[in-house]
Amino acid sequence: MNTIQGTAAGSTRPANSVRVVIVDDHAIFRSGLKADLDSSIQVVGEAATVEQAIAVIAQQRPDVVLLDVHLPGGLGGGGREVIAGSAPLLSTTRFLALSVSDAAEDVVAVIRAGARGYVTKTISGAEITDAVFRVAGGDAVFSPRLAGFVLDAFGTAPADIADDELDRLSARELEVMRLIARGYSYKEVAKELFISIKTVETHVSAVLRKLQLSSRHELTKWAAERRLL
Amino acid sequence: MTTLPVRPPLARSSDRVIAGVCSGLAAHLGWPVRNVRVGMVLAAFAGGAGLVFYAWLWIMVPTADEAARRNARRPASPIAPAVSQPAQGQTLQGQPMREAPSDGGTSAGAAGPADGAAESPWFRVRGMRYGKEILLGCGLLLVAGIMIAQMLGVDVSLGTLIPAAAVLGGASIAWMQLDETRRAGLVDKTKADQAGGWGRLAAGLALVVAGVLVMVSGSGSWEQTWLALLASVAVLGGVVLVLLPWALKFWRDLETERAGRIRETERAEIAAHLHDSVLQTLALIQRRAGNEHDVVRLARAQERELRGWLFQDPGRESGQLSDRIKAVAAEVEDLLGNPVEVVTVGDAAMTEAHEALVQASREAMLNASRHGGGTVSVYLEASEGQAEIFIKDRGPGFQLGDVPADRLGIRESIIGRMKRHGGSAAILSTGDGTEVRLGLPAAAEHVEGKS
């Protein structure tokens, strides 16, 4: 596919194949996604509800879970509840959120629950394969839209020294987020800022950590207020 | 109907000495406030008429806030036309209230309370908001009529008058209540002031019962009245006891039916929307299944439409810069078929210079979609200081110098336009794609304004 966003070159692909569980309540989407994924990705299980997902994940202990944000079952918490239910496995199993939803509170909720990234369902097979490898390698995956969310939530002014470190993005992190929001791949971000891809990944992971840990009340308020985008 | 000049609605203004009546009245009549105030004071010496008038307005006229709330419910309807309607035009057949002495005001008095009950369709359609006012006016007319009649020597016995007045008053209190709960039920189902409503209903009922009793027993003697009252209350209690289960059941059925109807309306609305949009698009997609490009374009357009419908926040102000950029992106997407992904951070109100920014980005998006041939990424960042837009594609790229001099797309529509409006435009093209960067400082609009 010629629309790959040049990310493949920068990813750290493990030699062995990656074991994946797909959690989505639409069978058509699951089978489509399975067909789209690279052959080096082994789909070891599927689930359509919160309960099924928690059971399958506990049983299979996959490397990566592709997790729909909206799921039936459980207490109505959807993807967030699956992550919470699989908390003991979080060190070995990583979650990548998939969503058709534009609603910020949905996305931010799964990220804060512990997902390592968020991509939209319209993403191509090659891109999602790359994202899976990236998440399996311990990196964070940000779509332009998630980067936009982050910039909106943390504000676009760089951190003051007086601020709590978790509540603001550093100037460098802001630059990285801005470029990702503009549609740059990690490789292009690295080139633009004259830093290594590894450094870009470090910055993105740091932003993810802040997004997950920050108690900045604006963040939660913002997430609740924004229905759109 | 009447062609009275449209006046600002009568409302008690916040510019007040006592209750804002005079300034509200002045605004309504278009008179100077001073004159109205002086007039009111003078009238107060004329047998206290000014005081009574003031008190009446104080009670009956809503404050400006309340008036605003009312107007939000039903737009622009100054009080004058509704009041000047021929309120007594429709006489009501079979009214039991005809017992009142027949003076000039009688028919009006009888018509008033019945209107309060909103039984006549005429009233419900037009005058419902002013039921209270009309009612009170009619009551006052009636009283005035009776007083005049007495002055002229017509003997009106207090024994009939007081009970009749009590019945009328009680009925109108209860009916006004009915009217209001019905209105509340129509507007929304919150009945926060239901307790007060019950109180009014009880007061109205008590008045009517007392009035009827006195009228029927015909004597002013307390013992008799008291006995009759006890008996009638006992009978009423019995009747209530028997009818209560039915009433409750009826009420519950009504509630269920109402809830069902609301659900049904919602469902119908959703179904109508899906039919108009999604089903039509699916049909189109099936007919164009051979053409991948068309299918993708249709699906994108439909997705956008549905998303807008589902996640639209009605409280949000529309017409902002981000909305315009998204609308333009959607237009480009429809025109050329390549997806245009828009990410926005922050927002700004539209100005003339912003419109130029939007047009320049539209041109850039068109170029990116046409020559890049893939997904176009658009990023808008608007802060207090400036608005920036980045349009990125992944096409083969180009050199600005290679573009023929007669092609104005980039030079004029993008770079020239931004310069003219005090902004900046830069184009960065490599073999991996092209990015157009547009910037517009917030102060730029002033520059434009003077030139």
Side-chain angles (χ1 to χ4, degrees):
Chain A
M1 244 193 220
N2 57 4
T3 54
I4 310 176
Q5 307 228 331
T7 43
S11 66
T12 46
R13 297 206 173 191
N16 54 338
S17 70
V18 176
R19 299 171 73 249
V20 166
V21 165
I22 300 177
V23 181
D24 194 297
D25 52 332
H26 292 101
I28 300 177
F29 183 78
R30 287 203 306 269
S31 57
L33 185 58
K34 230 158 86 175
D36 265 359
L37 286 172
D38 196 85
S39 56
S40 55
I41 292 176
Q42 193 192 346
V43 178
V44 296
E46 291 178 32
T49 65
V50 171
E51 290 87 356
Q52 280 176 23
I54 294 174
V56 170
I57 292 165
Q59 188 199 340
Q60 293 290 342
R61 296 175 174 266
D63 300 313
V64 175
V65 178
L66 288 170
L67 183 65
D68 189 8
V69 172
H70 290 282
L71 277 181
L75 304 171
R80 185 163 38 97
E81 204 179 329
V82 174
I83 300 178
S86 313
L89 303 171
L90 266 183
S91 53
T92 55
T93 297
R94 301 199 159 91
F95 290 83
L96 176 60
L98 281 173
S99 173
V100 288
S101 166
D102 269 5
E105 66 260 37
D106 294 337
V107 177
V108 172
V110 277
I111 294 282
R112 281 174 78 89
R116 298 289 299 167
Y118 152 76
V119 288
T120 48
K121 280 187 175 178
T122 48
I123 190 173
S124 75
E127 285 169 308
I128 204 156
T129 301
D130 183 63
V132 167
F133 279 114
R134 198 177 280 284
V135 169
D139 287 328
V141 173
F142 271 39
S143 68
R145 187 148 281 164
L146 180 54
F149 287 168
V150 168
L151 286 170
D152 227 356
F154 282 93
T156 46
D160 284 336
I161 302 159
D163 275 327
D164 185 344
E165 184 237 343
L166 280 176
D167 286 353
R168 288 261 171 188
L169 302 184
S170 72
R172 206 53 159 175
E173 286 160 358
L174 273 175
E175 279 177 323
V176 171
M177 280 299 118
R178 270 207 187 96
L179 289 171
I180 291 174
R182 276 156 67 176
Y184 280 56
S185 67
Y186 286 12
K187 195 177 100 187
E188 288 167 323
V189 173
K191 203 169 140 207
E192 177 81 16
L193 299 178
F194 304 107
I195 52 179
S196 73
I197 292 176
K198 202 72 225 158
T199 315
V200 174
E201 284 167 353
T202 312
H203 284 310
V204 174
S205 295
V207 172
L208 185 80
R209 195 174 65 90
K210 287 184 183 180
L211 190 58
Q212 285 171 345
L213 297 182
S214 171
S215 58
R216 184 182 167 82
H217 79 279
E218 284 97 333
L219 191 66
T220 35
K221 195 171 137 250
W222 164 87
E225 274 174 2
R226 294 292 171 113
R227 288 275 160 71
L228 251 184
L229 243 245
Chain B
M1 290 279 143
T2 45
T3 50
L4 284 171
V6 176
R7 300 176 184 284
L10 187 57
R12 295 202 332 263
S13 112
S14 57
D15 166 29
R16 59 177 62 177
V17 174
I18 301 174
V21 168
C22 286
S23 48
L25 194 64
H28 177 62
L29 297 174
W31 295 349
V33 188
R34 245 173 83 91
N35 295 6
V36 176
R37 282 188 177 139
V38 169
M40 195 67 88
V41 171
L42 287 179
F45 290 110
L51 287 179
V52 174
F53 184 51
Y54 193 95
W56 182 59
L57 283 181
W58 190 350
I59 295 165
M60 302 315 292
V61 173
T63 59
D65 285 352
E66 287 166 358
R69 243 176 286 140
R70 276 187 175 187
N71 283 345
R73 223 185 287 153
R74 230 186 64 174
S77 167
I79 194 164
V83 172
S84 65
Q85 301 287 346
Q88 292 85 1
Q90 267 84 349
T91 34
L92 295 128
Q93 289 86 21
Q95 277 300 313
M97 306 299 165
R98 286 280 169 104
E99 320 250 311
S102 52
D103 291 319
T106 310
S107 69
D115 283 348
E119 288 308 319
S120 101
W122 162 82
F123 190 83
R124 204 173 330 154
V125 178
R126 287 200 219 104
M128 197 149 136
R129 284 177 50 196
Y130 305 112
K132 234 193 269 177
E133 285 85 345
I134 294 172
L135 213 61
L136 210 87
C138 295
L140 288 176
L141 273 181
L142 182 68
V143 171
I146 292 164
M147 281 168 112
I148 291 169
Q150 261 180 336
M151 257 181 234
L152 293 177
V154 181
D155 181 40
V156 185
S157 84
L158 278 179
T160 15
L161 206 58
I162 291 173
V167 169
L168 272 179
S172 54
I173 285 176
W175 274 331
M176 253 150 59
Q177 178 55 28
L178 179 72
D179 189 25
E180 244 162 51
T181 44
R182 181 182 300 193
R183 203 154 54 200
L186 285 178
V187 176
D188 65 334
K189 282 189 76 243
T190 52
K191 291 174 188 154
D193 54 349
Q194 223 178 23
W198 284 117
R200 273 159 69 178
L201 191 67
L205 209 62
L207 262 177
V208 170
V209 168
V212 167
L213 274 176
V214 174
M215 230 188 305
V216 170
S217 69
S219 71
S221 110
W222 265 114
E223 298 89 69
Q224 249 183 342
T225 315
W226 198 239
L227 265 178
L229 185 69
L230 264 183
S232 58
V233 164
V235 168
L236 272 182
V239 169
V240 165
L241 205 62
V242 172
L243 290 184
L244 199 61
W246 271 295
L248 276 179
K249 188 181 170 305
F250 179 70
W251 177 251
R252 237 176 262 139
D253 286 354
L254 201 72
E255 287 284 291
T256 333
E257 198 218 301
R258 178 150 53 183
R261 209 168 43 230
I262 289 170
R263 265 202 306 277
E264 195 59 36
T265 319
E266 261 169 17
R267 221 190 72 83
E269 195 189 315
I270 291 170
H273 182 89
L274 291 185
H275 176 267
D276 290 351
S277 59
V278 180
L279 281 184
Q280 303 282 10
T281 307
L282 286 178
L284 272 177
I285 284 178
Q286 283 170 35
R287 285 174 47 192
R288 310 215 127 243
N291 188 336
E292 192 190 341
H293 190 257
D294 277 359
V295 169
V296 171
R297 188 200 305 214
L298 283 169
R300 291 277 310 176
Q302 182 54 59
E303 180 194 341
R304 211 169 45 228
E305 191 273 339
L306 196 59
R307 222 179 251 298
W309 189 64
L310 286 176
F311 300 121
Q312 187 185 55
D313 186 353
R316 220 174 61 92
E317 206 178 323
S318 61
Q320 301 276 89
L321 180 58
S322 67
D323 297 315
R324 288 284 294 133
I325 291 289
K326 277 178 207 158
V328 164
E331 189 191 326
V332 171
E333 204 171 273
D334 280 344
L335 208 61
L336 298 171
N338 291 317
V340 180
E341 303 278 2
V342 183
V343 174
T344 64
V345 172
D347 215 338
M350 286 297 292
T351 65
E352 205 177 314
H354 280 135
E355 190 54 42
L357 181 66
V358 169
Q359 289 308 325
S361 18
R362 178 175 183 272
E363 195 62 33
M365 284 180 219
L366 280 172
N367 277 334
S369 188
R370 201 175 282 140
H371 303 298
T375 302
V376 178
S377 307
V378 176
Y379 173 64
L380 160 73
E381 185 176 315
S383 59
E384 277 164 33
Q386 63 170 353
E388 282 181 294
I389 298 182
F390 302 85
I391 298 106
K392 186 174 171 63
D393 69 72
R394 295 181 178 278
F398 69 99
Q399 291 295 315
L400 192 54
D402 295 347
V403 178
D406 60 334
R407 300 295 295 273
L408 297 177
I410 292 171
R411 285 199 193 88
E412 260 316 295
S413 300
I414 301 178
I415 301 176
R417 182 181 267 144
M418 290 310 295
K419 289 258 161 64
R420 277 198 301 280
H421 288 84
S424 63
I427 293 163
L428 200 89
S429 191
T430 66
D432 295 332
T434 305
E435 189 176 50
V436 179
R437 304 168 178 182
L438 308 175
L440 185 75
E445 55 206 74
H446 302 306
V447 175
E448 172 61 21
K450 279 174 205 150
S451 63

